[in-house]
Amino acid sequence: MPLTPVLTKRFGTNAPWLIDNYEALDGYVALRKAFATPPGDLITLMKESNLRGRGGAGFPTGMKWDFIPKNDGKPHYVVINADEGEPGTCRDLPLMMNDPHSMLEGIIIACYAVGAQHAFIYIRGEAVHAIRRVTIAVQEAYARGYLGDNVLGSGTRFDITVHGGAGAYICGEETALLDSLEGKRGQPRLKPPFPATNGLYDAPTVVNNVGTLCSVPYIVLGGAAWHKEQIAPSKVAWTEDWNDRNPANKLNDPYGSPGTSIFSLSGRIKNPGQYEAPMGTTLRELIEMAGGMSRGHELKFWTPGGASCPLLTIDHLDVPLDFDAVAKVGSINGTSAIMIFDTEDSIVKAVLKWTQFYEHESCGKCTPCREGNYWTAQILERFVHGEGTEEDVDKLLDISDNILGRSFCALGDGAVSSIMSSIKYFRDDFLALVKPENRRAPEKTPVHEGGPLLAGATA
Amino acid sequence: MTSTYDSPSSGLNQTAAGVDTGGVETTTGPISGAGLSSNGRLTLLDIERPGDPGVFAERVRSDAFEIMARYPLGQTRSALLPMLHLVQSEQGYVTADGIAFCADVLEITKAQVAAVATFYTMYKRRPTGEYLVSVCTNTLCGMLGGDDIYAALSDSLGVGMNQTAGIPGEPGSITLEHAECLAACDYAPVVTVNYEFFDNQTVESTSELVSQLQAGNRPLPTRGAPLCSFKEISRQIAGFVDTRAEASAATASGAPTEAGVRLAIERGETAPAYPHDDAGTTAGTPGTTTGPATGAVTPDSAQPTSAHDAPLNTAESDPAAPATGASHTQGELFGKES
C-alpha cells in the first residue's frame, strides 16, 4: 500500500507555516474556487465526497454542515476542536504546526458554506506552540485579506478567534468544548438539542476537528470522486470476504469511509511517526512502513484509534483501518492513533494507567463515570500489586457494564474500552497476577464451553 | 467538592455577599496556605479571603478588555479561561485576588469564576516555580520510560505532584507534575518545561535538564520556542503570543512528524493526482478517473527548496494536472452535474 501524503504533503518543506510559502504550494486556491460556488453546492460536494469527521466519531461532514438551518436570521458559528488529548493521538498538533493555513482555508470555506462569519479555534492550553503558530497564521491571513472585511471581494466579513484551553480532556467532547468556550466548567450538555441548532451561544454551530477541516481544501480542489476513490484496494477484497463469512452482519459499501488518514504510530516500533495513507490500510502494512517492531518482540496489543477504542491483538493485523471495518471487528477507528505494545509489556499495567487517566479526567457530572472509574482504578491497582482475586476480574466487568452506555457522554464508554477488551483477549494475564491463595477453589473454576477461546488453541 | 452548575441565567451580576465560597470545598477556620484534603487532593489557597481585584495594575485590566474584545458582543464570559491564564501570569497561580479580578471585569460572581478555576488542571492553586516540569506518565510514555523519569525526578527534587523545589517564583525553582497525554506520542517519552517539548527523554537526560534549569540555564527545547518563565508562558496561553522570530520560527517538527512524508518521497509514492478537467464527470465510480499509477511525480522547479533537503513532489504541482480552480465549472467541482 503506498503512502499518499495530502494533508501532510507540506511537512518538511521550507517553513510551510508562512503564508508566502503556503500560497506558493497551492495555498488559498481552494478558497477562491469555493467562493465561486454556491454554499449549498459546497455542502453537496462534502456529502458526495463521503468525508467523515477525523475527530474520532467519523460522522459525515457534509451531513453535519447540512444540519445548519438556512436563512434563520441567527448568527452561525464554526468551532474547531483542536483540544487534542486522546491518549496516543498526536496528529492535529503537527498539522497546526506545519500547515496552519490549510486549516484556516478549510475554516473559511466551512464558514462560507454554512453561513457563519465567526469561527473559534479551541486549542488545548498545553499546546502553547500551536497557539503561537496558529495565532500568527491568523494575523497573516488578516493582513493578506483572507480574513476581515469583504474577503476576496465576497462582500462578507470573516473572523477567526484563537482560544486556548486550560487542561481538561473532557473538552474534546463537543458540547463540553462549547461550554468551556463560553467560559464555564467543561461539562457535556444533554443532547438533543444538538450543536447544529443550539450550539455556541445557543446558535447553530458546526464543530469540526482539525484534520477534517484540513481535508476540505483538497476536496474542493480534487472533487468528490477524487476523494471517494482513496481507499486501500485491499479493502474491497476484505469486504467481500467479510460479507461471505458474516451474512448477518454485512458491510455494505467498501467506499463508505474514504480519504487519506494520518496514522499516528507510536510505541514499540522502530520509526514512530505520522504516516498518511489511504483509509483501509492495515496495521501489517503500517508496521512495515515504520521499520518493524523495535525490540525484537512480537506485537501483543494495540489501539486502532486512541485509548478510548477497544484494544486489538495480533489477530487483527489485516483488518482495514477505517471507520466501517474496525467497527465490524469490535473496535473503533477513532483518531487513527495507533499505540503498539509487545509481549514484554504488561497489559494489566497499561489498562491501569489508562483507567487512572479516565478517573482523573472524568468531569464528575454523571455518577457511573465519576464513581465507576474510581472503583475500577482501585481494583486494577490491586492487580498490579499482586492483591487481585479471581472475583475481581468479574467485578471489573460488572462495573464496566454499569458505565458503558450509562454515562452522560462517551468518556465513560471510552474508559471501559480497554478494561473490557483486555479481559476479553487476555483474561489469563489478569489471572496470572492472582496469588494462589486468592484463587477460586478448583471445583469452582468455570470451564470454557464451546469453541476455543484462546488463539492457537485447537478445537 | 460541591458541583456548581452555573447556567448563563443564574447569578449574573450578582453582587450580594456570601457568594465567595460557592463551588469550593470550605473548611472552618482561616486557611493560610494550600493543604491536602482528606482525599489527598489540593484545596484552593486562600479561598475564604474575599480577594482584591485592585491589586492588578491598570495594564492588566486593559489586557483583560483586549481578551474580551475577541468574542462577540454580549458574550464576554468566553474570555474567562484566557483571563484566568492572564491573572496566573501576574501572580504565578490563581489567587483569590485573581478570581475577584475576573469576576469584577466580567461582571459575574466570584463563585462562578472559582467553579471554573478549580475545574481545569492548568490553573495552579498555589505558587508555582519559575519552571513547570511536566512528565507524561500516560500509558504510552509511562511504559516507555516516563514512569521511571517521574519517580527519579520526584526523588531527586524531593517533591511530589504539584509541589515546588525551591522558593516558588525564584530563579531555578521547579514545580513538578505528572501530565496526561501531551499529544507527542511519536516522541515518547516526553517531558515539557513550561509546555515546551523535550523529546525522547531518559532518566539521565531529564536529570541533566533539571540540573541546568536549577543552575540558571535554559537548555533549548527539542522542538518549539526557547524557554521563558512560567508566568511568561501563561501570558502566551492567554493569547498574547511571542511573535519574536526565534519563538515563531521554531520548527516543532522532528523526524517522527515527517517520517511518512520522507518515506513517501524515498519510495516515490504520492496521492492520486487531481482529476483532469475532462474527467470530472465520473464521480461515483472510484478508480476510473485517476489512480496511483497516473499520479505521477513531476518535480516543480518553482517549488521552495526544503529546509531538510527533501523537496516536496506532489501530484498537485504536476503541470499536467493544474489545480487552479478559477476555470472550473460547478459541475466539474462536484465531478458531475448537480
PDB file of all heavy atoms in Angstrom, chain A residues 134-156:
ATOM      1  N   VAL A 134      -0.676  29.207  15.285  1.00  0.00           N
ATOM      2  CA  VAL A 134      -1.963  29.484  14.651  1.00  0.00           C
ATOM      3  C   VAL A 134      -2.341  30.961  14.820  1.00  0.00           C
ATOM      4  O   VAL A 134      -2.887  31.578  13.903  1.00  0.00           O
ATOM      5  CB  VAL A 134      -3.061  28.555  15.219  1.00  0.00           C
ATOM      6  CG1 VAL A 134      -4.433  28.944  14.700  1.00  0.00           C
ATOM      7  CG2 VAL A 134      -2.750  27.097  14.865  1.00  0.00           C
ATOM      8  N   THR A 135      -2.030  31.520  15.976  1.00  0.00           N
ATOM      9  CA  THR A 135      -2.335  32.939  16.188  1.00  0.00           C
ATOM     10  C   THR A 135      -1.607  33.803  15.156  1.00  0.00           C
ATOM     11  O   THR A 135      -2.186  34.730  14.570  1.00  0.00           O
ATOM     12  CB  THR A 135      -1.930  33.369  17.619  1.00  0.00           C
ATOM     13  OG1 THR A 135      -2.661  32.582  18.550  1.00  0.00           O
ATOM     14  CG2 THR A 135      -2.227  34.842  17.852  1.00  0.00           C
ATOM     15  N   ILE A 136      -0.339  33.473  14.925  1.00  0.00           N
ATOM     16  CA  ILE A 136       0.440  34.249  13.947  1.00  0.00           C
ATOM     17  C   ILE A 136      -0.112  34.019  12.541  1.00  0.00           C
ATOM     18  O   ILE A 136      -0.214  34.956  11.731  1.00  0.00           O
ATOM     19  CB  ILE A 136       1.933  33.882  14.051  1.00  0.00           C
ATOM     20  CG1 ILE A 136       2.481  34.371  15.404  1.00  0.00           C
ATOM     21  CG2 ILE A 136       2.721  34.502  12.905  1.00  0.00           C
ATOM     22  CD1 ILE A 136       3.864  33.851  15.740  1.00  0.00           C
ATOM     23  N   ALA A 137      -0.516  32.774  12.244  1.00  0.00           N
ATOM     24  CA  ALA A 137      -1.091  32.487  10.927  1.00  0.00           C
ATOM     25  C   ALA A 137      -2.385  33.274  10.711  1.00  0.00           C
ATOM     26  O   ALA A 137      -2.638  33.794   9.611  1.00  0.00           O
ATOM     27  CB  ALA A 137      -1.355  30.990  10.777  1.00  0.00           C
ATOM     28  N   VAL A 138      -3.184  33.387  11.758  1.00  0.00           N
ATOM     29  CA  VAL A 138      -4.427  34.161  11.644  1.00  0.00           C
ATOM     30  C   VAL A 138      -4.098  35.628  11.373  1.00  0.00           C
ATOM     31  O   VAL A 138      -4.741  36.283  10.532  1.00  0.00           O
ATOM     32  CB  VAL A 138      -5.290  33.995  12.923  1.00  0.00           C
ATOM     33  CG1 VAL A 138      -6.406  35.034  12.967  1.00  0.00           C
ATOM     34  CG2 VAL A 138      -5.868  32.584  12.996  1.00  0.00           C
ATOM     35  N   GLN A 139      -3.083  36.140  12.073  1.00  0.00           N
ATOM     36  CA  GLN A 139      -2.687  37.536  11.825  1.00  0.00           C
ATOM     37  C   GLN A 139      -2.254  37.725  10.371  1.00  0.00           C
ATOM     38  O   GLN A 139      -2.595  38.718   9.725  1.00  0.00           O
ATOM     39  CB  GLN A 139      -1.540  37.930  12.771  1.00  0.00           C
ATOM     40  CG  GLN A 139      -1.984  38.087  14.227  1.00  0.00           C
ATOM     41  CD  GLN A 139      -0.810  38.165  15.206  1.00  0.00           C
ATOM     42  OE1 GLN A 139       0.356  38.056  14.805  1.00  0.00           O
ATOM     43  NE2 GLN A 139      -1.122  38.351  16.484  1.00  0.00           N
ATOM     44  N   GLU A 140      -1.507  36.739   9.845  1.00  0.00           N
ATOM     45  CA  GLU A 140      -1.083  36.812   8.438  1.00  0.00           C
ATOM     46  C   GLU A 140      -2.288  36.810   7.503  1.00  0.00           C
ATOM     47  O   GLU A 140      -2.324  37.538   6.505  1.00  0.00           O
ATOM     48  CB  GLU A 140      -0.199  35.600   8.091  1.00  0.00           C
ATOM     49  CG  GLU A 140       1.226  35.674   8.586  1.00  0.00           C
ATOM     50  CD  GLU A 140       2.029  34.467   8.092  1.00  0.00           C
ATOM     51  OE1 GLU A 140       1.511  33.327   8.142  1.00  0.00           O
ATOM     52  OE2 GLU A 140       3.167  34.660   7.666  1.00  0.00           O
ATOM     53  N   ALA A 141      -3.260  35.953   7.827  1.00  0.00           N
ATOM     54  CA  ALA A 141      -4.442  35.828   6.959  1.00  0.00           C
ATOM     55  C   ALA A 141      -5.254  37.123   6.948  1.00  0.00           C
ATOM     56  O   ALA A 141      -5.794  37.526   5.908  1.00  0.00           O
ATOM     57  CB  ALA A 141      -5.306  34.655   7.406  1.00  0.00           C
ATOM     58  N   TYR A 142      -5.329  37.801   8.108  1.00  0.00           N
ATOM     59  CA  TYR A 142      -5.999  39.107   8.139  1.00  0.00           C
ATOM     60  C   TYR A 142      -5.249  40.092   7.247  1.00  0.00           C
ATOM     61  O   TYR A 142      -5.843  40.807   6.442  1.00  0.00           O
ATOM     62  CB  TYR A 142      -6.063  39.655   9.572  1.00  0.00           C
ATOM     63  CG  TYR A 142      -7.289  39.218  10.361  1.00  0.00           C
ATOM     64  CD1 TYR A 142      -7.200  38.262  11.351  1.00  0.00           C
ATOM     65  CD2 TYR A 142      -8.544  39.804  10.113  1.00  0.00           C
ATOM     66  CE1 TYR A 142      -8.320  37.868  12.087  1.00  0.00           C
ATOM     67  CE2 TYR A 142      -9.669  39.421  10.847  1.00  0.00           C
ATOM     68  CZ  TYR A 142      -9.542  38.453  11.828  1.00  0.00           C
ATOM     69  OH  TYR A 142     -10.655  38.065  12.538  1.00  0.00           O
ATOM     70  N   ALA A 143      -3.916  40.104   7.404  1.00  0.00           N
ATOM     71  CA  ALA A 143      -3.117  41.073   6.652  1.00  0.00           C
ATOM     72  C   ALA A 143      -3.204  40.829   5.146  1.00  0.00           C
ATOM     73  O   ALA A 143      -3.085  41.764   4.349  1.00  0.00           O
ATOM     74  CB  ALA A 143      -1.658  40.992   7.110  1.00  0.00           C
ATOM     75  N   ARG A 144      -3.444  39.588   4.751  1.00  0.00           N
ATOM     76  CA  ARG A 144      -3.471  39.233   3.333  1.00  0.00           C
ATOM     77  C   ARG A 144      -4.894  39.298   2.766  1.00  0.00           C
ATOM     78  O   ARG A 144      -5.105  39.024   1.586  1.00  0.00           O
ATOM     79  CB  ARG A 144      -2.876  37.829   3.182  1.00  0.00           C
ATOM     80  CG  ARG A 144      -2.359  37.402   1.830  1.00  0.00           C
ATOM     81  CD  ARG A 144      -1.282  38.281   1.240  1.00  0.00           C
ATOM     82  NE  ARG A 144      -0.018  38.330   1.950  1.00  0.00           N
ATOM     83  CZ  ARG A 144       1.035  37.553   1.692  1.00  0.00           C
ATOM     84  NH1 ARG A 144       0.970  36.644   0.760  1.00  0.00           N
ATOM     85  NH2 ARG A 144       2.155  37.702   2.359  1.00  0.00           N
ATOM     86  N   GLY A 145      -5.865  39.634   3.617  1.00  0.00           N
ATOM     87  CA  GLY A 145      -7.231  39.797   3.118  1.00  0.00           C
ATOM     88  C   GLY A 145      -8.064  38.537   3.047  1.00  0.00           C
ATOM     89  O   GLY A 145      -9.129  38.521   2.460  1.00  0.00           O
ATOM     90  N   TYR A 146      -7.569  37.432   3.670  1.00  0.00           N
ATOM     91  CA  TYR A 146      -8.369  36.209   3.716  1.00  0.00           C
ATOM     92  C   TYR A 146      -9.312  36.212   4.910  1.00  0.00           C
ATOM     93  O   TYR A 146     -10.184  35.367   5.027  1.00  0.00           O
ATOM     94  CB  TYR A 146      -7.469  34.967   3.769  1.00  0.00           C
ATOM     95  CG  TYR A 146      -6.627  34.800   2.536  1.00  0.00           C
ATOM     96  CD1 TYR A 146      -5.240  34.739   2.616  1.00  0.00           C
ATOM     97  CD2 TYR A 146      -7.221  34.701   1.277  1.00  0.00           C
ATOM     98  CE1 TYR A 146      -4.461  34.586   1.485  1.00  0.00           C
ATOM     99  CE2 TYR A 146      -6.453  34.553   0.141  1.00  0.00           C
ATOM    100  CZ  TYR A 146      -5.074  34.503   0.242  1.00  0.00           C
ATOM    101  OH  TYR A 146      -4.315  34.348  -0.885  1.00  0.00           O
ATOM    102  N   LEU A 147      -9.091  37.147   5.810  1.00  0.00           N
ATOM    103  CA  LEU A 147      -9.983  37.357   6.939  1.00  0.00           C
ATOM    104  C   LEU A 147     -10.221  38.857   7.044  1.00  0.00           C
ATOM    105  O   LEU A 147      -9.437  39.647   6.531  1.00  0.00           O
ATOM    106  CB  LEU A 147      -9.368  36.824   8.240  1.00  0.00           C
ATOM    107  CG  LEU A 147      -9.243  35.297   8.367  1.00  0.00           C
ATOM    108  CD1 LEU A 147      -8.393  34.933   9.583  1.00  0.00           C
ATOM    109  CD2 LEU A 147     -10.619  34.639   8.475  1.00  0.00           C
ATOM    110  N   GLY A 148     -11.308  39.204   7.731  1.00  0.00           N
ATOM    111  CA  GLY A 148     -11.626  40.614   7.855  1.00  0.00           C
ATOM    112  C   GLY A 148     -12.781  40.970   6.924  1.00  0.00           C
ATOM    113  O   GLY A 148     -13.543  40.102   6.500  1.00  0.00           O
ATOM    114  N   ASP A 149     -12.858  42.262   6.609  1.00  0.00           N
ATOM    115  CA  ASP A 149     -13.961  42.730   5.772  1.00  0.00           C
ATOM    116  C   ASP A 149     -13.817  42.274   4.327  1.00  0.00           C
ATOM    117  O   ASP A 149     -12.702  42.215   3.796  1.00  0.00           O
ATOM    118  CB  ASP A 149     -14.017  44.265   5.813  1.00  0.00           C
ATOM    119  CG  ASP A 149     -14.687  44.759   7.086  1.00  0.00           C
ATOM    120  OD1 ASP A 149     -15.639  44.094   7.548  1.00  0.00           O
ATOM    121  OD2 ASP A 149     -14.242  45.789   7.626  1.00  0.00           O
ATOM    122  N   ASN A 150     -14.935  41.981   3.704  1.00  0.00           N
ATOM    123  CA  ASN A 150     -15.001  41.766   2.256  1.00  0.00           C
ATOM    124  C   ASN A 150     -13.897  40.845   1.760  1.00  0.00           C
ATOM    125  O   ASN A 150     -13.085  41.204   0.903  1.00  0.00           O
ATOM    126  CB  ASN A 150     -14.928  43.134   1.546  1.00  0.00           C
ATOM    127  CG  ASN A 150     -15.247  43.014   0.067  1.00  0.00           C
ATOM    128  OD1 ASN A 150     -15.900  42.063  -0.363  1.00  0.00           O
ATOM    129  ND2 ASN A 150     -14.780  43.982  -0.709  1.00  0.00           N
ATOM    130  N   VAL A 151     -13.876  39.628   2.266  1.00  0.00           N
ATOM    131  CA  VAL A 151     -12.814  38.680   1.922  1.00  0.00           C
ATOM    132  C   VAL A 151     -12.879  38.323   0.439  1.00  0.00           C
ATOM    133  O   VAL A 151     -13.913  37.889  -0.069  1.00  0.00           O
ATOM    134  CB  VAL A 151     -12.927  37.404   2.786  1.00  0.00           C
ATOM    135  CG1 VAL A 151     -11.962  36.330   2.305  1.00  0.00           C
ATOM    136  CG2 VAL A 151     -12.670  37.732   4.245  1.00  0.00           C
ATOM    137  N   LEU A 152     -11.787  38.560  -0.269  1.00  0.00           N
ATOM    138  CA  LEU A 152     -11.661  38.263  -1.695  1.00  0.00           C
ATOM    139  C   LEU A 152     -12.836  38.817  -2.495  1.00  0.00           C
ATOM    140  O   LEU A 152     -13.316  38.176  -3.428  1.00  0.00           O
ATOM    141  CB  LEU A 152     -11.534  36.754  -1.933  1.00  0.00           C
ATOM    142  CG  LEU A 152     -10.315  36.048  -1.318  1.00  0.00           C
ATOM    143  CD1 LEU A 152     -10.351  34.559  -1.621  1.00  0.00           C
ATOM    144  CD2 LEU A 152      -9.027  36.668  -1.823  1.00  0.00           C
ATOM    145  N   GLY A 153     -13.315  39.978  -2.073  1.00  0.00           N
ATOM    146  CA  GLY A 153     -14.402  40.617  -2.810  1.00  0.00           C
ATOM    147  C   GLY A 153     -15.750  39.938  -2.648  1.00  0.00           C
ATOM    148  O   GLY A 153     -16.684  40.192  -3.414  1.00  0.00           O
ATOM    149  N   SER A 154     -15.869  39.071  -1.656  1.00  0.00           N
ATOM    150  CA  SER A 154     -17.135  38.355  -1.482  1.00  0.00           C
ATOM    151  C   SER A 154     -18.202  39.221  -0.833  1.00  0.00           C
ATOM    152  O   SER A 154     -19.373  38.856  -0.783  1.00  0.00           O
ATOM    153  CB  SER A 154     -16.912  37.120  -0.604  1.00  0.00           C
ATOM    154  OG  SER A 154     -16.512  37.524   0.703  1.00  0.00           O
ATOM    155  N   GLY A 155     -17.788  40.375  -0.304  1.00  0.00           N
ATOM    156  CA  GLY A 155     -18.739  41.224   0.390  1.00  0.00           C
ATOM    157  C   GLY A 155     -19.031  40.749   1.804  1.00  0.00           C
ATOM    158  O   GLY A 155     -19.834  41.336   2.511  1.00  0.00           O
ATOM    159  N   THR A 156     -18.351  39.675   2.218  1.00  0.00           N
ATOM    160  CA  THR A 156     -18.632  39.100   3.531  1.00  0.00           C
ATOM    161  C   THR A 156     -17.414  39.237   4.424  1.00  0.00           C
ATOM    162  O   THR A 156     -16.276  39.129   3.969  1.00  0.00           O
ATOM    163  CB  THR A 156     -18.981  37.601   3.402  1.00  0.00           C
ATOM    164  OG1 THR A 156     -19.985  37.466   2.415  1.00  0.00           O
ATOM    165  CG2 THR A 156     -19.487  37.042   4.714  1.00  0.00           C
TER     166      THR A 156
END
